[in-house]
Structures are given as structure tokens and as C-alpha cells.
Amino acid sequence: MIEAILVLVVLGIVGYFIIKSYNPALILIIGAIVLLGASVALGNPLYPEGEGTGLAFFDIFLKLKDTIISQVSSAGLVIMILFGYSGYMNLIGANQKAVNILVKPMTKIKSKALFIPIVFLLGNLMSLVVPSASSLAIILMAILYPLLQGIGISSMTAAGVIAMTATIMPTPLGADNVIAAQTLDYNILTYVLYHAKVSIPTLLILAVVHYFWQTYCDKKEGSEAFVEMKEVESAADEKVVPTFYAILPLLPLVLIIIVGIIGIFRENVTMDIFVLTMISFFVALIIEGFRKKSFKIAQESAVELFKGMGQGFSQVVMLVVGGSLFTTAIQSLGVIDSLMSAVENSQSAGVLTTLIFSGATALFGILSGGGLAMFYAVIELIPNIAQKAGIDGILIALPMQMIANLARTISPVAAVVMIVSSSIGVSPVRLLKRTSVPTIIGIILVVVLSLLLLPY
């Protein structure tokens, strides 16, 4: 009983500090250290005799070391290389070229009514190239927003749609997909295929919902829906690069698909995302060398790969480490076993577990503006919980993951909401009116479609 109370108190404190915008990775690690210390004090050894440091207090930090090594040697290394590659693509102008090419066909669309759903779907497609929601919003507000204003789309409609562009696209290059597939022991392409079964219908329906909701809001607000926009600068400098550079950001994805197809016809062909991304990097580096006619000049920008890897380590991998360590601490106190017994003995355990985790993720995402922090914190628990509930872990993980990405669009403290609202000079709360209904419908669709389409 005292263990459960302790976990709830520490969990509440951790949640409070994360909502207050403290670094979630550091807060989770501190919370985990407190719980591990309590576990040791209550007589629960962290290692079997002869395997630890020999000093109980030091074992706490040995756990931290083991967790970091475990995460970096598995999904963590993949996340780091994907961050690095994305940073390199941004620096050499390949991301910008890809976005410009995707936006260009929109100038030929004559039907004003089609713009709203097309912008939403196109924006989500662009998230394959620019995975950061806030970075994509900055680029779209600089490139796409003026175009939408020019054809008569209201400022609030354009802002509402742009704020929801980086949400639930199925991609094997997504850090959340990589971690979930690894933890649940799924092939990454198989996991993404299940993701697509839920996310693609949801995105198509949301495109239609956006049209009707934004049109309704425009009629209700009238002239107030049009606001004068202050000048927005893109995060990336405009670079003159060849058109074919647009394929470089997607090259790892292309190679993943090619190797996946080869694997169907040939045995013993394994797909390693790190290897394929490194191949893509060196292809891009060679191309840059020829374009600039100097490897010395080309290698100066190539160093961005390593800087990006460091960013991926600090922003995502350490967050996963914190969540994993926190999970280990809760398990060492025996609280997880008690929860498992309760779930195991309940009727409709699978559906109930999915709904509980989905609801908690939505609430946390709205309050903190970053629901993925909770997803990363509990992903290690999911296989065990799912086994006890008698369901496949994907039924818990996938809705959580998608809801985490959707929930930030109705959080007044989310970076993407603040960026878009400040760009047009309105309050975040006013922008949330434009994103609220599509987001809520999206969350409901994700849960329902997951229960209908994912394996039990």
C-alpha cells in the first residue's frame, strides 16, 4: 500500500513539473532515482547478489547507466541518426526544396473550396520531410500562408489547418514508430502498415471535417476571421539547389521500401534503418561534393549530421531513458504486479486498458503540450500490461502514440500552437477554437478504428 501511494505522489509531482515546462527527461530521471532509492530503503535490491556495485546507493546510478546503454544500443541509435540526417537535409536546402515542390501544384488549383482539405493533407505529407511540428509550422507560415491569403482563405482558417499539419503520418522514419516497433517486437514496416490502417482513414476524414468546421467558423466570425499578418521568416535560409535535391530527405524511406520488397523474395535480407540512413547520408555528401566542386566545403555542412545526432540524444533518447528508468523504479516497488492482477481479473480488460491509456495520454498532451513524453515514459510497460490484459501491445501503444501527436494541437502551451498564433497576432485560445473540433474527432476516430482494425 505504501509503495502505491509513494508512486502516485512522485508521479503527480513529475507530471506537475512537466506541465510547468521543466525538462521532462531530467524530471523523469530524478523521479526514478527517488523511487529507486525508496525501493532500496524498503529492502528491494536492484540487482541480484554479486551483479551490482556492492553498494546499494551506487546501484541506483548503475541502473541509469544500464538504461542509457540499453536504449542507445537499440532504438536510440536509430533515432539519433534520423535526427542527424534531417538536420543535414535542412542545412543543405533539400528540405526546403521538397516543400517548395509540394506547394507549387497548389497554385494551379482553381476551386477555393478544395484548398482547405488539400492544405491539411499536403501539410501532413510534408511532415515526412520536416518531422518537427513547430519547424514545419514556421516553414508553412512563411511559404503557404501568404498563398492562402492571396486566394481569399481567411487567416484563422489557414492558421487552424497549418497548426494541425504534423500529426499522424505513417512513416518508418518517425522516432515514435521506431521505439514502439522495437519495444513491441514488430518489424518496422509491419508496424507502420498497422499505423496506416488507422491513420490514413483518420486523416482523410479530418480533411473533410476541417472544410466544414473552418467554413462554419468563418461564417460565424465574419470579417474577424481575417487578420493582418506580420512578416514571418523561415527558419531555414533559402538556398538555390537542384530540383532533384527534393528526393534526398526521402531517400532513407525509399531504401527502406526497396529493401523490404527485396526481403520478400530473398531470405536473410535484413533491414537496418541506421545502415540505410547512413548510406543516404553518404550519397548526399557525394552529391554535395560534386555540386560544390570541393569535398572540403561539402564536409563543413556534413558535420551537421553529428550535431543533429546529439540533438536527437538530448531531446528524445534521454526522454526514453527517463521513462524507462521510471518504469524500472515502479516495477522494483512491486506496484506493476499489483496493477497487472487488477487488470487480469477485470472483464473487457483489453478495451478498458486501451481507453484508460488513451484518455490519460490525451489529458497529459492537452496540459503539457507534448503528449509524447508520456508515451515514451510508459512504452516499456506496455508489453507486460498487454500480456496480462490478453491483448496485443499495439492496441495500447498505437492509439497512445497517435493521440499524443493530436493532443498538442488543442494545448495552449504547445510550441506549434504558440508559433502559429503569434505569427498572425492572435491569442492561442482563439486558434484552439479552429483546431478543437477536428482534433477531438481525430482522437475519437483513432480509438474507434484501433479497436476495430488492430490485432487483439
Side-chain angles (χ1 to χ4, degrees), residues 222-272:
S223 60
E224 292 182 1
F226 295 81
V227 295
E228 187 175 345
M229 178 186 171
K230 53 188 180 182
E231 189 175 347
V232 176
E233 294 182 3
S234 175
D237 296 331
E238 186 71 30
K239 290 183 173 63
V240 180
V241 296
T243 302
F244 72 85
Y245 264 49
I247 195 63
L248 293 180
L250 296 175
L251 190 55
L253 179 60
V254 172
L255 291 179
I256 287 169
I257 294 171
I258 291 172
V259 173
I261 293 171
I262 293 173
I264 297 174
F265 302 101
R266 280 188 62 182
E267 294 183 2
N268 303 320
V269 175
T270 58
M271 179 182 59
D272 188 305

mmCIF file of all heavy atoms in Angstrom, residues 222-272:
data_model
loop_
_atom_site.group_PDB
_atom_site.id
_atom_site.type_symbol
_atom_site.label_atom_id
_atom_site.label_comp_id
_atom_site.label_asym_id
_atom_site.label_seq_id
_atom_site.Cartn_x
_atom_site.Cartn_y
_atom_site.Cartn_z
ATOM 1 N N GLY A 222 -17.138 36.086 -39.399
ATOM 2 C CA GLY A 222 -17.221 37.147 -40.394
ATOM 3 C C GLY A 222 -15.862 37.766 -40.688
ATOM 4 O O GLY A 222 -14.858 37.070 -40.852
ATOM 5 N N SER A 223 -15.820 39.093 -40.682
ATOM 6 C CA SER A 223 -14.574 39.800 -41.018
ATOM 7 C C SER A 223 -13.479 39.590 -39.971
ATOM 8 O O SER A 223 -12.291 39.778 -40.259
ATOM 9 C CB SER A 223 -14.846 41.297 -41.167
ATOM 10 O OG SER A 223 -15.359 41.823 -39.952
ATOM 11 N N GLU A 224 -13.857 39.187 -38.764
ATOM 12 C CA GLU A 224 -12.871 38.962 -37.699
ATOM 13 C C GLU A 224 -11.970 37.760 -37.992
ATOM 14 O O GLU A 224 -10.930 37.592 -37.359
ATOM 15 C CB GLU A 224 -13.574 38.762 -36.353
ATOM 16 C CG GLU A 224 -14.256 40.022 -35.835
ATOM 17 C CD GLU A 224 -14.892 39.798 -34.483
ATOM 18 O OE1 GLU A 224 -14.776 38.669 -33.952
ATOM 19 O OE2 GLU A 224 -15.504 40.737 -33.951
ATOM 20 N N ALA A 225 -12.398 36.896 -38.927
ATOM 21 C CA ALA A 225 -11.592 35.724 -39.290
ATOM 22 C C ALA A 225 -10.377 36.120 -40.117
ATOM 23 O O ALA A 225 -9.449 35.334 -40.285
ATOM 24 C CB ALA A 225 -12.440 34.714 -40.071
ATOM 25 N N PHE A 226 -10.383 37.363 -40.627
ATOM 26 C CA PHE A 226 -9.264 37.865 -41.427
ATOM 27 C C PHE A 226 -8.442 38.829 -40.565
ATOM 28 O O PHE A 226 -8.966 39.845 -40.097
ATOM 29 C CB PHE A 226 -9.755 38.586 -42.677
ATOM 30 C CG PHE A 226 -10.468 37.681 -43.646
ATOM 31 C CD1 PHE A 226 -11.802 37.349 -43.461
ATOM 32 C CD2 PHE A 226 -9.799 37.152 -44.745
ATOM 33 C CE1 PHE A 226 -12.455 36.506 -44.356
ATOM 34 C CE2 PHE A 226 -10.448 36.328 -45.637
ATOM 35 C CZ PHE A 226 -11.775 35.993 -45.440
ATOM 36 N N VAL A 227 -7.185 38.478 -40.348
ATOM 37 C CA VAL A 227 -6.319 39.350 -39.562
ATOM 38 C C VAL A 227 -5.072 39.656 -40.376
ATOM 39 O O VAL A 227 -4.657 38.857 -41.222
ATOM 40 C CB VAL A 227 -5.916 38.700 -38.213
ATOM 41 C CG1 VAL A 227 -7.123 38.497 -37.333
ATOM 42 C CG2 VAL A 227 -5.175 37.392 -38.438
ATOM 43 N N GLU A 228 -4.499 40.828 -40.119
ATOM 44 C CA GLU A 228 -3.294 41.209 -40.840
ATOM 45 C C GLU A 228 -2.095 40.474 -40.250
ATOM 46 O O GLU A 228 -1.873 40.481 -39.045
ATOM 47 C CB GLU A 228 -3.068 42.725 -40.740
ATOM 48 C CG GLU A 228 -1.924 43.212 -41.611
ATOM 49 C CD GLU A 228 -1.797 44.725 -41.581
ATOM 50 O OE1 GLU A 228 -2.753 45.387 -41.136
ATOM 51 O OE2 GLU A 228 -0.748 45.221 -41.994
ATOM 52 N N MET A 229 -1.346 39.852 -41.097
ATOM 53 C CA MET A 229 -0.219 39.031 -40.638
ATOM 54 C C MET A 229 1.081 39.822 -40.681
ATOM 55 O O MET A 229 1.382 40.496 -41.652
ATOM 56 C CB MET A 229 -0.089 37.797 -41.543
ATOM 57 C CG MET A 229 1.079 36.901 -41.202
ATOM 58 S SD MET A 229 1.229 35.589 -42.429
ATOM 59 C CE MET A 229 2.795 34.880 -41.936
ATOM 60 N N LYS A 230 1.814 39.718 -39.576
ATOM 61 C CA LYS A 230 3.140 40.323 -39.598
ATOM 62 C C LYS A 230 4.090 39.387 -40.333
ATOM 63 O O LYS A 230 3.862 38.179 -40.409
ATOM 64 C CB LYS A 230 3.636 40.598 -38.181
ATOM 65 C CG LYS A 230 3.600 39.418 -37.249
ATOM 66 C CD LYS A 230 3.925 39.869 -35.828
ATOM 67 C CE LYS A 230 3.892 38.693 -34.870
ATOM 68 N NZ LYS A 230 4.145 39.087 -33.484
ATOM 69 N N GLU A 231 5.155 39.923 -40.841
ATOM 70 C CA GLU A 231 6.089 39.146 -41.671
ATOM 71 C C GLU A 231 6.717 38.003 -40.880
ATOM 72 O O GLU A 231 7.141 38.174 -39.746
ATOM 73 C CB GLU A 231 7.195 40.061 -42.208
ATOM 74 C CG GLU A 231 8.064 39.372 -43.242
ATOM 75 C CD GLU A 231 9.077 40.333 -43.836
ATOM 76 O OE1 GLU A 231 8.940 41.550 -43.629
ATOM 77 O OE2 GLU A 231 10.000 39.859 -44.509
ATOM 78 N N VAL A 232 6.733 36.835 -41.503
ATOM 79 C CA VAL A 232 7.322 35.661 -40.868
ATOM 80 C C VAL A 232 8.548 35.240 -41.644
ATOM 81 O O VAL A 232 8.525 35.172 -42.868
ATOM 82 C CB VAL A 232 6.312 34.487 -40.835
ATOM 83 C CG1 VAL A 232 6.963 33.242 -40.259
ATOM 84 C CG2 VAL A 232 5.096 34.860 -40.010
ATOM 85 N N GLU A 233 9.612 34.962 -40.946
ATOM 86 C CA GLU A 233 10.832 34.496 -41.595
ATOM 87 C C GLU A 233 10.957 32.999 -41.430
ATOM 88 O O GLU A 233 10.671 32.459 -40.368
ATOM 89 C CB GLU A 233 12.058 35.180 -40.980
ATOM 90 C CG GLU A 233 12.101 36.672 -41.247
ATOM 91 C CD GLU A 233 13.350 37.305 -40.667
ATOM 92 O OE1 GLU A 233 14.193 36.557 -40.118
ATOM 93 O OE2 GLU A 233 13.481 38.527 -40.764
ATOM 94 N N SER A 234 11.370 32.345 -42.488
ATOM 95 C CA SER A 234 11.571 30.894 -42.412
ATOM 96 C C SER A 234 12.788 30.593 -41.552
ATOM 97 O O SER A 234 13.747 31.360 -41.507
ATOM 98 C CB SER A 234 11.778 30.316 -43.817
ATOM 99 O OG SER A 234 12.093 28.951 -43.749
ATOM 100 N N ALA A 235 12.719 29.424 -40.871
ATOM 101 C CA ALA A 235 13.839 29.007 -40.015
ATOM 102 C C ALA A 235 15.071 28.693 -40.847
ATOM 103 O O ALA A 235 16.190 28.788 -40.398
ATOM 104 C CB ALA A 235 13.432 27.799 -39.189
ATOM 105 N N ALA A 236 14.845 28.291 -42.091
ATOM 106 C CA ALA A 236 15.973 27.919 -42.953
ATOM 107 C C ALA A 236 16.174 28.970 -44.040
ATOM 108 O O ALA A 236 15.224 29.479 -44.608
ATOM 109 C CB ALA A 236 15.708 26.559 -43.591
ATOM 110 N N ASP A 237 17.395 29.322 -44.299
ATOM 111 C CA ASP A 237 17.684 30.263 -45.375
ATOM 112 C C ASP A 237 17.345 29.613 -46.712
ATOM 113 O O ASP A 237 17.542 28.422 -46.909
ATOM 114 C CB ASP A 237 19.176 30.638 -45.359
ATOM 115 C CG ASP A 237 19.551 31.385 -44.080
ATOM 116 O OD1 ASP A 237 18.675 32.058 -43.533
ATOM 117 O OD2 ASP A 237 20.720 31.255 -43.661
ATOM 118 N N GLU A 238 16.846 30.450 -47.616
ATOM 119 C CA GLU A 238 16.533 29.950 -48.950
ATOM 120 C C GLU A 238 17.837 29.629 -49.677
ATOM 121 O O GLU A 238 18.731 30.460 -49.796
ATOM 122 C CB GLU A 238 15.743 31.024 -49.716
ATOM 123 C CG GLU A 238 15.245 30.550 -51.066
ATOM 124 C CD GLU A 238 14.129 29.530 -50.948
ATOM 125 O OE1 GLU A 238 13.378 29.581 -49.966
ATOM 126 O OE2 GLU A 238 14.018 28.678 -51.846
ATOM 127 N N LYS A 239 17.969 28.421 -50.162
ATOM 128 C CA LYS A 239 19.188 28.014 -50.864
ATOM 129 C C LYS A 239 18.832 27.598 -52.285
ATOM 130 O O LYS A 239 17.810 26.970 -52.518
ATOM 131 C CB LYS A 239 19.864 26.846 -50.134
ATOM 132 C CG LYS A 239 20.492 27.250 -48.791
ATOM 133 C CD LYS A 239 21.199 26.060 -48.172
ATOM 134 C CE LYS A 239 21.976 26.478 -46.922
ATOM 135 N NZ LYS A 239 21.124 26.983 -45.857
ATOM 136 N N VAL A 240 19.687 27.952 -53.216
ATOM 137 C CA VAL A 240 19.474 27.561 -54.612
ATOM 138 C C VAL A 240 20.134 26.206 -54.808
ATOM 139 O O VAL A 240 21.360 26.089 -54.871
ATOM 140 C CB VAL A 240 20.088 28.607 -55.570
ATOM 141 C CG1 VAL A 240 19.863 28.170 -57.016
ATOM 142 C CG2 VAL A 240 19.486 29.982 -55.317
ATOM 143 N N VAL A 241 19.308 25.175 -54.893
ATOM 144 C CA VAL A 241 19.815 23.817 -55.077
ATOM 145 C C VAL A 241 19.061 23.155 -56.227
ATOM 146 O O VAL A 241 17.953 23.570 -56.571
ATOM 147 C CB VAL A 241 19.658 22.963 -53.786
ATOM 148 C CG1 VAL A 241 20.498 23.529 -52.649
ATOM 149 C CG2 VAL A 241 18.194 22.856 -53.376
ATOM 150 N N PRO A 242 19.641 22.128 -56.839
ATOM 151 C CA PRO A 242 18.963 21.441 -57.949
ATOM 152 C C PRO A 242 17.626 20.839 -57.517
ATOM 153 O O PRO A 242 17.434 20.488 -56.340
ATOM 154 C CB PRO A 242 19.959 20.335 -58.336
ATOM 155 C CG PRO A 242 21.279 20.802 -57.819
ATOM 156 C CD PRO A 242 20.990 21.581 -56.581
ATOM 157 N N THR A 243 16.734 20.682 -58.462
ATOM 158 C CA THR A 243 15.399 20.158 -58.174
ATOM 159 C C THR A 243 15.448 18.751 -57.593
ATOM 160 O O THR A 243 14.657 18.412 -56.698
ATOM 161 C CB THR A 243 14.556 20.149 -59.467
ATOM 162 O OG1 THR A 243 14.491 21.473 -59.992
ATOM 163 C CG2 THR A 243 13.144 19.652 -59.188
ATOM 164 N N PHE A 244 16.395 17.928 -58.071
ATOM 165 C CA PHE A 244 16.420 16.538 -57.605
ATOM 166 C C PHE A 244 16.787 16.420 -56.123
ATOM 167 O O PHE A 244 16.638 15.366 -55.526
ATOM 168 C CB PHE A 244 17.382 15.698 -58.464
ATOM 169 C CG PHE A 244 18.846 15.985 -58.248
ATOM 170 C CD1 PHE A 244 19.551 15.360 -57.223
ATOM 171 C CD2 PHE A 244 19.522 16.885 -59.073
ATOM 172 C CE1 PHE A 244 20.898 15.621 -57.023
ATOM 173 C CE2 PHE A 244 20.869 17.144 -58.878
ATOM 174 C CZ PHE A 244 21.559 16.510 -57.849
ATOM 175 N N TYR A 245 17.251 17.528 -55.516
ATOM 176 C CA TYR A 245 17.542 17.508 -54.082
ATOM 177 C C TYR A 245 16.292 17.203 -53.257
ATOM 178 O O TYR A 245 16.380 16.789 -52.099
ATOM 179 C CB TYR A 245 18.136 18.851 -53.639
ATOM 180 C CG TYR A 245 19.646 18.870 -53.599
ATOM 181 C CD1 TYR A 245 20.392 18.416 -54.682
ATOM 182 C CD2 TYR A 245 20.334 19.350 -52.491
ATOM 183 C CE1 TYR A 245 21.776 18.432 -54.660
ATOM 184 C CE2 TYR A 245 21.723 19.374 -52.454
ATOM 185 C CZ TYR A 245 22.439 18.917 -53.541
ATOM 186 O OH TYR A 245 23.812 18.924 -53.513
ATOM 187 N N ALA A 246 15.124 17.428 -53.862
ATOM 188 C CA ALA A 246 13.868 17.184 -53.148
ATOM 189 C C ALA A 246 13.703 15.723 -52.750
ATOM 190 O O ALA A 246 12.987 15.414 -51.789
ATOM 191 C CB ALA A 246 12.682 17.623 -54.016
ATOM 192 N N ILE A 247 14.366 14.804 -53.461
ATOM 193 C CA ILE A 247 14.240 13.379 -53.141
ATOM 194 C C ILE A 247 15.154 12.978 -51.992
ATOM 195 O O ILE A 247 14.918 11.957 -51.321
ATOM 196 C CB ILE A 247 14.537 12.505 -54.385
ATOM 197 C CG1 ILE A 247 14.052 11.060 -54.174
ATOM 198 C CG2 ILE A 247 16.009 12.507 -54.703
ATOM 199 C CD1 ILE A 247 12.566 10.916 -53.999
ATOM 200 N N LEU A 248 16.195 13.752 -51.710
ATOM 201 C CA LEU A 248 17.175 13.364 -50.694
ATOM 202 C C LEU A 248 16.585 13.188 -49.297
ATOM 203 O O LEU A 248 16.934 12.232 -48.602
ATOM 204 C CB LEU A 248 18.336 14.367 -50.661
ATOM 205 C CG LEU A 248 19.229 14.404 -51.911
ATOM 206 C CD1 LEU A 248 20.327 15.451 -51.738
ATOM 207 C CD2 LEU A 248 19.832 13.029 -52.188
ATOM 208 N N PRO A 249 15.676 14.069 -48.827
ATOM 209 C CA PRO A 249 15.108 13.848 -47.496
ATOM 210 C C PRO A 249 14.332 12.533 -47.379
ATOM 211 O O PRO A 249 14.217 11.965 -46.293
ATOM 212 C CB PRO A 249 14.169 15.046 -47.304
ATOM 213 C CG PRO A 249 14.708 16.093 -48.213
ATOM 214 C CD PRO A 249 15.232 15.347 -49.403
ATOM 215 N N LEU A 250 13.811 12.061 -48.515
ATOM 216 C CA LEU A 250 13.022 10.824 -48.510
ATOM 217 C C LEU A 250 13.835 9.605 -48.920
ATOM 218 O O LEU A 250 13.296 8.492 -48.988
ATOM 219 C CB LEU A 250 11.818 10.975 -49.460
ATOM 220 C CG LEU A 250 10.793 12.042 -49.067
ATOM 221 C CD1 LEU A 250 9.737 12.174 -50.150
ATOM 222 C CD2 LEU A 250 10.141 11.713 -47.734
ATOM 223 N N LEU A 251 15.126 9.785 -49.190
ATOM 224 C CA LEU A 251 15.955 8.673 -49.649
ATOM 225 C C LEU A 251 15.992 7.506 -48.661
ATOM 226 O O LEU A 251 15.891 6.340 -49.081
ATOM 227 C CB LEU A 251 17.368 9.173 -49.963
ATOM 228 C CG LEU A 251 18.300 8.183 -50.673
ATOM 229 C CD1 LEU A 251 17.674 7.668 -51.960
ATOM 230 C CD2 LEU A 251 19.648 8.841 -50.969
ATOM 231 N N PRO A 252 16.123 7.742 -47.340
ATOM 232 C CA PRO A 252 16.070 6.598 -46.410
ATOM 233 C C PRO A 252 14.768 5.825 -46.505
ATOM 234 O O PRO A 252 14.757 4.587 -46.452
ATOM 235 C CB PRO A 252 16.212 7.259 -45.030
ATOM 236 C CG PRO A 252 16.908 8.550 -45.293
ATOM 237 C CD PRO A 252 16.404 9.003 -46.631
ATOM 238 N N LEU A 253 13.649 6.558 -46.680
ATOM 239 C CA LEU A 253 12.349 5.902 -46.807
ATOM 240 C C LEU A 253 12.294 5.064 -48.080
ATOM 241 O O LEU A 253 11.786 3.931 -48.070
ATOM 242 C CB LEU A 253 11.240 6.958 -46.810
ATOM 243 C CG LEU A 253 9.799 6.444 -46.955
ATOM 244 C CD1 LEU A 253 9.445 5.510 -45.808
ATOM 245 C CD2 LEU A 253 8.828 7.612 -47.027
ATOM 246 N N VAL A 254 12.820 5.606 -49.174
ATOM 247 C CA VAL A 254 12.848 4.869 -50.444
ATOM 248 C C VAL A 254 13.662 3.584 -50.293
ATOM 249 O O VAL A 254 13.236 2.503 -50.738
ATOM 250 C CB VAL A 254 13.436 5.758 -51.564
ATOM 251 C CG1 VAL A 254 13.641 4.937 -52.837
ATOM 252 C CG2 VAL A 254 12.530 6.946 -51.834
ATOM 253 N N LEU A 255 14.826 3.676 -49.646
ATOM 254 C CA LEU A 255 15.682 2.500 -49.454
ATOM 255 C C LEU A 255 15.024 1.470 -48.548
ATOM 256 O O LEU A 255 15.148 0.258 -48.768
ATOM 257 C CB LEU A 255 17.030 2.929 -48.870
ATOM 258 C CG LEU A 255 17.946 3.742 -49.787
ATOM 259 C CD1 LEU A 255 19.227 4.110 -49.059
ATOM 260 C CD2 LEU A 255 18.271 2.956 -51.063
ATOM 261 N N ILE A 256 14.319 1.946 -47.522
ATOM 262 C CA ILE A 256 13.606 1.021 -46.623
ATOM 263 C C ILE A 256 12.577 0.213 -47.403
ATOM 264 O O ILE A 256 12.452 -1.006 -47.235
ATOM 265 C CB ILE A 256 12.925 1.807 -45.481
ATOM 266 C CG1 ILE A 256 13.974 2.295 -44.479
ATOM 267 C CG2 ILE A 256 11.898 0.935 -44.754
ATOM 268 C CD1 ILE A 256 13.439 3.288 -43.467
ATOM 269 N N ILE A 257 11.828 0.889 -48.262
ATOM 270 C CA ILE A 257 10.805 0.203 -49.061
ATOM 271 C C ILE A 257 11.454 -0.778 -50.029
ATOM 272 O O ILE A 257 10.987 -1.919 -50.191
ATOM 273 C CB ILE A 257 9.936 1.233 -49.821
ATOM 274 C CG1 ILE A 257 9.135 2.078 -48.813
ATOM 275 C CG2 ILE A 257 9.004 0.529 -50.806
ATOM 276 C CD1 ILE A 257 8.426 3.261 -49.441
ATOM 277 N N ILE A 258 12.540 -0.360 -50.686
ATOM 278 C CA ILE A 258 13.229 -1.230 -51.646
ATOM 279 C C ILE A 258 13.749 -2.492 -50.960
ATOM 280 O O ILE A 258 13.547 -3.614 -51.442
ATOM 281 C CB ILE A 258 14.393 -0.478 -52.333
ATOM 282 C CG1 ILE A 258 13.842 0.600 -53.272
ATOM 283 C CG2 ILE A 258 15.278 -1.451 -53.116
ATOM 284 C CD1 ILE A 258 14.907 1.513 -53.839
ATOM 285 N N VAL A 259 14.424 -2.308 -49.805
ATOM 286 C CA VAL A 259 14.963 -3.465 -49.085
ATOM 287 C C VAL A 259 13.836 -4.350 -48.562
ATOM 288 O O VAL A 259 13.946 -5.583 -48.558
ATOM 289 C CB VAL A 259 15.864 -2.990 -47.918
ATOM 290 C CG1 VAL A 259 16.287 -4.168 -47.045
ATOM 291 C CG2 VAL A 259 17.093 -2.282 -48.452
ATOM 292 N N GLY A 260 12.727 -3.727 -48.150
ATOM 293 C CA GLY A 260 11.571 -4.506 -47.701
ATOM 294 C C GLY A 260 11.012 -5.383 -48.802
ATOM 295 O O GLY A 260 10.643 -6.538 -48.571
ATOM 296 N N ILE A 261 10.972 -4.844 -50.028
ATOM 297 C CA ILE A 261 10.479 -5.616 -51.181
ATOM 298 C C ILE A 261 11.457 -6.746 -51.522
ATOM 299 O O ILE A 261 11.042 -7.884 -51.785
ATOM 300 C CB ILE A 261 10.273 -4.689 -52.400
ATOM 301 C CG1 ILE A 261 9.128 -3.709 -52.124
ATOM 302 C CG2 ILE A 261 9.966 -5.512 -53.650
ATOM 303 C CD1 ILE A 261 8.994 -2.618 -53.168
ATOM 304 N N ILE A 262 12.760 -6.424 -51.482
ATOM 305 C CA ILE A 262 13.774 -7.454 -51.753
ATOM 306 C C ILE A 262 13.665 -8.593 -50.735
ATOM 307 O O ILE A 262 13.794 -9.776 -51.065
ATOM 308 C CB ILE A 262 15.194 -6.841 -51.726
ATOM 309 C CG1 ILE A 262 15.376 -5.882 -52.899
ATOM 310 C CG2 ILE A 262 16.260 -7.941 -51.784
ATOM 311 C CD1 ILE A 262 16.671 -5.101 -52.860
ATOM 312 N N GLY A 263 13.390 -8.223 -49.478
ATOM 313 C CA GLY A 263 13.284 -9.214 -48.413
ATOM 314 C C GLY A 263 12.149 -10.203 -48.620
ATOM 315 O O GLY A 263 12.175 -11.311 -48.072
ATOM 316 N N ILE A 264 11.144 -9.801 -49.396
ATOM 317 C CA ILE A 264 10.027 -10.708 -49.683
ATOM 318 C C ILE A 264 10.488 -11.869 -50.568
ATOM 319 O O ILE A 264 10.033 -13.003 -50.423
ATOM 320 C CB ILE A 264 8.867 -9.942 -50.377
ATOM 321 C CG1 ILE A 264 8.306 -8.865 -49.427
ATOM 322 C CG2 ILE A 264 7.756 -10.892 -50.819
ATOM 323 C CD1 ILE A 264 7.274 -7.961 -50.072
ATOM 324 N N PHE A 265 11.425 -11.586 -51.472
ATOM 325 C CA PHE A 265 11.856 -12.587 -52.450
ATOM 326 C C PHE A 265 13.179 -13.269 -52.082
ATOM 327 O O PHE A 265 13.500 -14.322 -52.623
ATOM 328 C CB PHE A 265 11.993 -11.919 -53.829
ATOM 329 C CG PHE A 265 10.729 -11.278 -54.311
ATOM 330 C CD1 PHE A 265 10.550 -9.905 -54.205
ATOM 331 C CD2 PHE A 265 9.701 -12.043 -54.847
ATOM 332 C CE1 PHE A 265 9.374 -9.297 -54.650
ATOM 333 C CE2 PHE A 265 8.521 -11.449 -55.284
ATOM 334 C CZ PHE A 265 8.363 -10.080 -55.188
ATOM 335 N N ARG A 266 13.928 -12.642 -51.171
ATOM 336 C CA ARG A 266 15.217 -13.230 -50.772
ATOM 337 C C ARG A 266 15.291 -13.388 -49.268
ATOM 338 O O ARG A 266 14.957 -12.471 -48.517
ATOM 339 C CB ARG A 266 16.384 -12.339 -51.227
ATOM 340 C CG ARG A 266 16.742 -12.503 -52.689
ATOM 341 C CD ARG A 266 18.025 -11.740 -53.006
ATOM 342 N NE ARG A 266 19.161 -12.255 -52.250
ATOM 343 C CZ ARG A 266 20.388 -11.743 -52.320
ATOM 344 N NH1 ARG A 266 20.618 -10.698 -53.102
ATOM 345 N NH2 ARG A 266 21.367 -12.260 -51.620
ATOM 346 N N GLU A 267 15.702 -14.564 -48.837
ATOM 347 C CA GLU A 267 15.850 -14.797 -47.403
ATOM 348 C C GLU A 267 17.137 -14.148 -46.899
ATOM 349 O O GLU A 267 18.049 -13.849 -47.656
ATOM 350 C CB GLU A 267 15.873 -16.307 -47.113
ATOM 351 C CG GLU A 267 14.557 -17.015 -47.427
ATOM 352 C CD GLU A 267 14.616 -18.481 -47.048
ATOM 353 O OE1 GLU A 267 15.641 -18.918 -46.518
ATOM 354 O OE2 GLU A 267 13.612 -19.175 -47.297
ATOM 355 N N ASN A 268 17.180 -13.958 -45.591
ATOM 356 C CA ASN A 268 18.363 -13.432 -44.903
ATOM 357 C C ASN A 268 18.728 -12.004 -45.304
ATOM 358 O O ASN A 268 19.867 -11.579 -45.135
ATOM 359 C CB ASN A 268 19.577 -14.346 -45.129
ATOM 360 C CG ASN A 268 19.312 -15.770 -44.670
ATOM 361 O OD1 ASN A 268 18.688 -15.976 -43.638
ATOM 362 N ND2 ASN A 268 19.775 -16.748 -45.441
ATOM 363 N N VAL A 269 17.754 -11.263 -45.858
ATOM 364 C CA VAL A 269 17.978 -9.846 -46.137
ATOM 365 C C VAL A 269 17.341 -9.049 -45.001
ATOM 366 O O VAL A 269 16.125 -9.064 -44.832
ATOM 367 C CB VAL A 269 17.353 -9.413 -47.484
ATOM 368 C CG1 VAL A 269 17.508 -7.903 -47.681
ATOM 369 C CG2 VAL A 269 18.020 -10.155 -48.634
ATOM 370 N N THR A 270 18.160 -8.401 -44.195
ATOM 371 C CA THR A 270 17.639 -7.670 -43.053
ATOM 372 C C THR A 270 17.644 -6.171 -43.324
ATOM 373 O O THR A 270 18.519 -5.655 -44.023
ATOM 374 C CB THR A 270 18.483 -7.945 -41.787
ATOM 375 O OG1 THR A 270 19.834 -7.583 -42.044
ATOM 376 C CG2 THR A 270 18.407 -9.408 -41.407
ATOM 377 N N MET A 271 16.659 -5.494 -42.763
ATOM 378 C CA MET A 271 16.527 -4.056 -42.978
ATOM 379 C C MET A 271 16.990 -3.332 -41.720
ATOM 380 O O MET A 271 16.423 -3.523 -40.649
ATOM 381 C CB MET A 271 15.077 -3.710 -43.280
ATOM 382 C CG MET A 271 14.823 -2.234 -43.491
ATOM 383 S SD MET A 271 13.082 -1.939 -43.778
ATOM 384 C CE MET A 271 12.385 -2.599 -42.270
ATOM 385 N N ASP A 272 18.028 -2.551 -41.833
ATOM 386 C CA ASP A 272 18.556 -1.789 -40.709
ATOM 387 C C ASP A 272 18.436 -0.303 -41.051
ATOM 388 O O ASP A 272 19.102 0.193 -41.968
ATOM 389 C CB ASP A 272 20.024 -2.164 -40.456
ATOM 390 C CG ASP A 272 20.568 -1.550 -39.181
ATOM 391 O OD1 ASP A 272 20.487 -0.314 -39.059
ATOM 392 O OD2 ASP A 272 21.081 -2.307 -38.331
#
